[in-house]
């Protein structure tokens, strides 16, 4: 059954998911690390000193926490607490991590929290008039873009949402409002153009759009593939170091396809496909490409976990962190990797 593209639902639907079953690979990290994350609960944020020296994997959970692991070893070294429905994540060139979340349980506004690599408290908190979802940092300017699938200030339709862009990832945003489609996720390319997955009239199918650098107008792009999304998995866009990519997952039980794109004018052509498999193919939430690997979220026997695949080879996970949260109560969504010391 197709659950409908995430942008057609309220954001809370992404955090009211039934428990599922997924693959079982050899977990990474020391035994008991997943149980440690569950025991932490919604207590005070903490961070082990060793975190500063490692690449770090950040995973947001609807229990109000963001769990932080060494990557790729998978040892839990931090829990950042006190969020209201933390959602999408992204990282800048300095390794600072941005986390989007509701401002309060009943608010139509959001907050974006910036954490230094290995930091246990935010160094900046930004306000967003919409329901913030995904985010991306422009490598050419340091500007931060936030995708809002719902925004009561959109003069055309609040369900079309908005894009908020913060100059230098600070201050108040410049707002961009689509007038004929709804925002899902966003990602900058290497030249400062912002790409977005958007939804239109066809349930469960997304389109690709662009907000070109220096432009205030959204342009729809044609693409020679169908981009699927559902209530568990919003299709995302990200620059992989060589090409723009877009992800697609038709429904539970199907693998994720990560398409590499060649883009000319208003046409995107698929030039490569990475297939991400897990035992039961229960994928959800955000994907994040980190060099020669891609990390994502899956459900495994009623628990939410994180997997890593070789990129662009794909296939079955090479690494896995099992049982981060109980999926009957909570779900995972945002994920990103912050690089530590230069390799």
């Amino acid at each position: 059954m197709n659950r409908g593209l995430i942008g057609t639902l309220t954001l809370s639907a992404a955090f009211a998911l039934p428990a599922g079953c997924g693959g079982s690979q050899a977990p990474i990290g020391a035994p008991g690390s997943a149980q440690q994350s569950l025991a932490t609960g919604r207590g005070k944020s903490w961070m082990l000193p060793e975190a500063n020296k490692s690449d770090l994997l950040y995973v947001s959970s609807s229990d109000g926490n963001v769990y932080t692991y060494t990557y790729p070893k998978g040892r839990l070294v931090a829990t950042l607490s006190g969020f209201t429905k933390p959602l999408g994540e992204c990282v800048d060139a300095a390794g600072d991590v941005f986390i989007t979340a509701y401002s309060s349980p009943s608010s139509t506004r959001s907050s974006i929290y910036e954490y230094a690599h290995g930091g246990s408290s935010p160094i900046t908190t930004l306000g967003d008039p919409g329901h913030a979802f995904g985010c991306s940092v422009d490598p050419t300017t340091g500007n931060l873009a936030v995708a809002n699938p719902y925004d009561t200030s959109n003069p055309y339709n609040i369900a079309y949402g908005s894009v908020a862009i913060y100059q230098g990832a600070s201050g108040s945003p410049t707002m961009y409002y689509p007038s004929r489609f709804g925002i899902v996720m966003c990602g900058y390319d290497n030249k400062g153009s912002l790409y977005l997955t958007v939804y239109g009239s066809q349930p469960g199918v997304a389109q690709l759009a662009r907000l070109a650098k220096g432009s205030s107008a959204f342009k729809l792009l044609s693409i020679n593939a169908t981009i699927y999304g559902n209530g568990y998995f919003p299709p995302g866009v990200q620059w992989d170091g060589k090409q723009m990519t877009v992800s697609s997952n038709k429904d539970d039980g199907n693998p994720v396809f990560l398409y590499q794109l060649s883009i000319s004018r208003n046409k995107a052509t698929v030039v490569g496909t990475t297939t991400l498999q897990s035992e039961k193919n229960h994928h959800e939430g955000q994907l994040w490409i980190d060099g020669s690997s891609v990390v994502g979220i899956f459900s495994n026997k009623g628990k939410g976990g994180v997997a890593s695949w070789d990129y662009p080879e794909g296939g079955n996970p090479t690494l896995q962190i099992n049982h981060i949260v109980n999926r009957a109560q909570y779900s995972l969504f945002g994920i990103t990797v912050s690089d530590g010391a230069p390799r």
Side-chain angles (χ1 to χ4, degrees):
M1 179 180 69
N2 195 303
R3 292 168 180 80
L5 188 62
I6 189 71
T8 66
L9 309 174
T10 60
L11 287 184
S12 60
F15 289 87
L17 307 177
C21 297
S24 178
Q25 305 287 328
I28 63 177
S33 62
Q35 287 74 11
Q36 183 183 5
S37 71
L38 286 172
T40 302
R42 294 197 56 163
K44 185 178 180 181
S45 296
W46 59 273
M47 180 78 70
L48 296 181
E50 67 193 74
N52 287 318
K53 302 176 183 178
S54 303
D55 290 357
L56 297 176
L57 173 70
Y58 291 75
V59 187
S60 64
S61 167
S62 64
D63 65 2
N65 295 321
V66 173
Y67 298 106
T68 307
Y69 297 83
T70 58
Y71 184 74
K73 292 185 178 180
R75 183 186 179 201
L76 181 72
V77 290
T79 299
L80 307 178
S81 298
F83 302 96
T84 301
K85 292 184 180 177
L87 287 161
E89 302 175 2
C90 57
V91 67
D92 67 11
D96 289 358
V97 174
F98 297 86
I99 301 166
T100 70
Y102 283 18
S103 294
S104 69
S106 60
S107 177
T108 59
R109 299 179 61 86
S110 300
S111 297
I112 297 93
Y113 302 92
E114 179 182 1
Y115 284 79
H117 178 93
S120 59
S121 58
I123 56 176
T124 303
T125 301
L126 303 172
D128 186 326
H131 272 168
F133 206 37
C135 63
S136 183
V137 178
D138 183 349
T140 69
T141 63
N143 294 344
L144 171 71
V146 176
N148 299 316
Y150 178 84
D151 190 341
T152 57
S153 67
N154 186 315
Y156 305 105
N157 188 325
I158 60 177
Y160 290 164
S162 63
V163 174
I165 296 183
Y166 300 81
Q167 301 296 313
S170 63
S172 298
T174 300
M175 302 301 299
Y176 299 85
Y177 299 106
S179 61
R180 55 193 177 106
F181 48 70
I183 299 296
V184 184
M185 299 286 277
C186 66
Y188 278 106
D189 68 7
N190 63 327
K191 296 181 180 179
S193 288
L194 185 68
Y195 288 82
L196 307 110
T197 46
V198 302
Y199 66 85
S201 59
Q202 188 174 354
V205 175
Q207 295 173 279
L208 190 64
R210 178 177 58 215
L211 185 63
K213 184 170 184 172
S215 174
S216 60
F218 296 96
K219 294 288 186 181
L220 284 176
L221 308 183
S222 65
I223 180 172
N224 63 332
T226 303
I227 305 170
Y228 291 105
N230 58 69
Y232 290 88
F233 186 93
V237 281
Q238 188 182 350
W239 179 255
D240 71 359
K242 296 180 180 179
Q243 294 160 317
M244 207 67 206
T245 68
V246 62
S247 58
S248 175
N249 181 235
K250 190 171 185 179
D251 209 347
D252 272 353
N254 292 290
V256 171
F257 296 114
L258 188 54
Y259 298 120
Q260 294 86 39
L261 307 175
S262 173
I263 300 175
S264 177
R265 297 187 179 181
N266 293 332
K267 181 179 180 180
T269 302
V270 175
V271 293
T273 302
T274 298
T275 303
L276 306 180
Q277 299 268 12
S278 63
E279 185 176 325
K280 298 294 184 180
N281 279 326
H282 291 299
H283 301 273
E284 62 187 57
Q286 186 179 0
L287 292 176
W288 187 263
I289 301 169
D290 180 55
S292 60
S293 65
V294 55
V295 290
I297 296 163
F298 69 99
S299 59
N300 175 26
K301 298 180 180 179
K303 308 286 186 176
V306 174
S308 175
W309 295 263
D310 289 338
Y311 183 78
E313 294 82 2
N316 293 316
T318 54
L319 303 170
Q320 191 162 299
I321 305 173
N322 288 320
H323 300 179
I324 295 179
V325 294
N326 186 322
R327 285 281 278 98
Q329 297 175 291
Y330 305 113
S331 55
L332 306 173
F333 182 83
I335 190 167
T336 196
V337 175
S338 171
D339 293 339
R343 294 188 177 107

